[in-house]
Amino acid sequence: MDDDAPRQGLAQTLGLVLRPLVSGLVGSAEPLPADRPWPPRLRDTRLRRIPFSVVMQVIDLIIAVSIGFGTYSLLATETAKRGLQVSSGELGIAAFLLALPMALRERHPVAAWRLLCAAMFYTGMQHWLNVPFPPGGSVAGVLVLYTVAVRSPLNLTVGAGLWSVLGVLLVDRRTGGGAAVFVVVPLLVGAFVRLRQKTRDELAERERAAARELAEQRKRHREAEAVLKERQRIARELHDVVAHHMSMIAIQAEAAPYTVPEVPDKIRQELKEIRATALDALTEMRRILGVLRSEDGAETAPQPGLDRLDALVWAARGAGLTVNTSVIGDLSAVPQGVALSAYRILQEALSNVMRHAPGAVVDVELIQREGILLLSVINGPPAEGRRASPLSPPGEGHGLVGMRERAAMLGGGVTAKPTPEGGFAVTATLPLRSAA
């Protein structure tokens, strides 16, 4: 086991060295962002109208042209002074290969670095100058290496540094140490900038995720609040309905002995108990639900039912809708609690049509049969030239939530969905037996 430890350590060391070297040969940089933002200090200037990537590419092309002409002039002058017989074509190709990486730096930084390494190694081995490398190529090398470090993973950045230093030492060992500084510094700066960008992007993503979570929580809170408010409203209305019936039971039980003179004492006592039970139930219900009532007593008025259907339709027509009604069955047999919920559902459905499809044609149908009340409100698209109210865009508001809550409390259900014609359909099923 002791003999395996050195081998494992050696294998790990070789892996740490070989992975960057291989990555430098076959690795690739991250793609250029499609919408590259301007630096913060320049975002409020007129330059922001031009894409930042276009500006950078133009700058690189200007630098590339300067490096190309400057390198060619320098090579031609120095080779002539030293009496070297080098054709102008060879010098032109060398200058072009040293300048081309700058033109490729933004789009293909790793390919630009590899091309520059080959061009620098070739010109350095020719010894056309008194220095190992052309100055223009060194400038391009600093910029290209910086871009490689900013746009590449760590293995590739380290590999680029190792291959570059190796190339420098192969060309000239005497100045290799100083030249290595020009390799390491831009790589370190680029790696620091990349780390900073990654950290900033992660923080921004966390902030966006937190904002999405907060928006989702607010949405859930609004929905829960809408359900709670609707349940409170339904509880108040049911309180009024039940209170009316319980009061009638108590009054009738109290008045019954006086309508017939000869009422047996046993019956009279039972009527007293009925009255007392009704009053106790009424008191208990008011104690539990009384906190839900408004303090000003504004909701103690009689609650609407299906007997006010005509008034509801008339109001919708007055708002510009074309309403067609169809009633099948005896609506007077609908219990008051069901009639109240049915009225509120119809009222909310017609209000939604007024907001989202002004001037539309609406078909309202009520069917009462086999102990079930069926409602449907189907509207077409808005009338020509009419638009939905900007104050109530679709998807905001809690009308559908309230309708579903009302139907659910009666043991029924509500469906709401768009129609193929561009309108909307709301259908509700309300059982009568459970309410009774």
Side-chain angles (χ1 to χ4, degrees):
M1 187 173 181
D2 295 338
D3 295 338
D4 293 337
R7 295 178 181 177
Q8 293 178 356
L10 180 60
Q12 292 178 354
T13 303
L14 290 175
L16 291 175
V17 176
L18 291 178
R19 275 196 296 268
L21 291 175
V22 173
S23 182
L25 294 175
V26 300
S28 59
E30 296 176 355
L32 192 67
D35 186 15
R36 189 176 178 186
W38 278 86
R41 295 183 180 180
L42 299 177
R43 289 177 186 173
D44 296 332
T45 63
R46 294 183 179 180
L47 292 175
R48 70 181 188 275
R49 300 177 182 178
I50 307 174
F52 183 64
S53 58
V54 174
V55 175
M56 291 302 298
Q57 186 63 58
V58 171
I59 293 175
D60 284 348
L61 289 176
I62 294 174
I63 296 175
V65 172
S66 302
I67 290 175
F69 282 104
T71 301
Y72 177 78
S73 177
L74 178 63
L75 292 176
T77 302
E78 289 297 321
T79 54
K81 285 182 179 180
R82 301 179 64 182
L84 300 177
Q85 300 296 323
V86 184
S87 65
S88 59
E90 185 177 0
L91 296 179
I93 292 175
F96 174 77
L97 293 178
L98 289 171
L100 181 60
M102 281 302 304
L104 301 176
R105 183 176 72 100
E106 281 291 304
R107 297 291 178 180
H108 308 284
V110 177
W113 164 72
R114 290 168 182 160
L115 176 61
L116 182 63
C117 285
M120 290 284 281
F121 184 79
Y122 175 77
T123 54
M125 295 300 294
Q126 299 302 316
H127 302 290
W128 290 332
L129 303 174
N130 294 326
V131 293
F133 303 102
S138 300
V139 173
V142 171
L143 297 176
V144 170
L145 285 172
Y146 168 80
T147 306
V148 168
V150 171
R151 298 264 301 281
S152 303
L154 181 60
N155 273 341
L156 180 53
T157 300
V158 175
L162 293 177
W163 283 113
S164 299
V165 171
L166 180 61
V168 168
L169 294 176
L170 288 176
V171 172
D172 188 0
R173 293 182 181 180
R174 292 175 301 173
T175 60
V181 176
F182 288 91
V183 174
V184 175
V185 170
L187 289 176
L188 290 177
V189 175
F192 174 76
V193 172
R194 176 181 174 83
L195 178 61
R196 184 179 179 184
Q197 289 177 349
K198 288 289 185 182
T199 304
R200 183 176 57 195
D201 293 341
E202 289 177 359
L203 291 176
E205 182 59 30
R206 291 178 183 177
E207 291 178 357
R208 288 192 293 268
R212 290 193 297 267
E213 180 64 23
L214 181 60
E216 186 65 23
Q217 291 179 357
R218 288 177 176 173
K219 180 181 178 182
R220 291 196 296 266
H221 176 71
R222 288 196 299 267
E223 292 176 352
E225 185 180 8
V227 171
L228 180 60
K229 287 183 178 180
E230 191 61 26
R231 286 182 176 178
Q232 291 175 345
R233 182 180 177 186
I234 294 171
R236 287 195 295 268
E237 293 173 347
L238 291 178
H239 174 266
D240 291 335
V241 174
V242 178
H244 170 73
H245 290 300
M246 297 297 291
S247 299
M248 291 300 297
I249 292 173
I251 293 172
Q252 290 174 357
E254 183 178 11
Y258 301 100
T259 58
V260 180
E262 294 108 3
V263 177
D265 292 339
K266 183 177 180 181
I267 301 298
R268 191 183 299 273
Q269 184 63 30
E270 290 179 352
L271 290 174
K272 281 185 178 181
E273 292 179 359
I274 292 174
R275 177 179 179 275
T277 302
L279 291 177
D280 289 342
L282 185 60
T283 302
E284 184 67 16
M285 184 184 63
R286 282 175 175 169
R287 184 182 67 81
I288 296 174
L289 300 178
V291 295
L292 301 178
R293 302 175 64 88
S294 59
E295 295 181 359
D296 57 1
E299 297 200 20
T300 59
Q303 298 298 325
L306 293 178
D307 55 337
R308 295 177 58 180
L309 177 62
D310 292 339
L312 184 62
V313 172
W314 180 84
R317 289 171 178 164
L321 300 179
T322 301
V323 184
N324 303 318
T325 59
S326 174
V327 178
I328 301 176
D330 184 12
L331 297 183
S332 63
V334 177
Q336 185 174 355
V338 179
L340 173 60
S341 293
Y343 179 88
R344 293 301 189 196
I345 291 173
L346 291 173
Q347 185 181 46
E348 183 62 34
L350 290 173
S351 297
N352 287 338
V353 177
M354 295 177 195
R355 289 193 296 267
H356 305 313
V361 177
V362 188
D363 293 325
V364 178
E365 186 177 34
L366 293 88
I367 302 176
Q368 193 278 107
R369 63 186 178 192
E370 300 179 357
I372 294 178
L373 178 63
L374 301 175
L375 309 176
S376 68
V377 179
I378 304 175
N379 65 273
E384 186 176 357
R386 303 289 296 275
R387 293 183 178 180
S389 172
L391 299 179
S392 302
E396 298 183 6
H398 310 290
L400 293 178
V401 175
M403 287 190 281
R404 291 192 176 100
E405 282 296 315
R406 288 182 175 276
M409 291 188 69
L410 297 174
V414 173
T415 61
K417 59 183 179 180
T419 62
E421 294 78 14
F424 205 79
V426 176
T427 58
T429 303
L430 306 178
L432 308 183
R433 185 175 302 175
S434 61

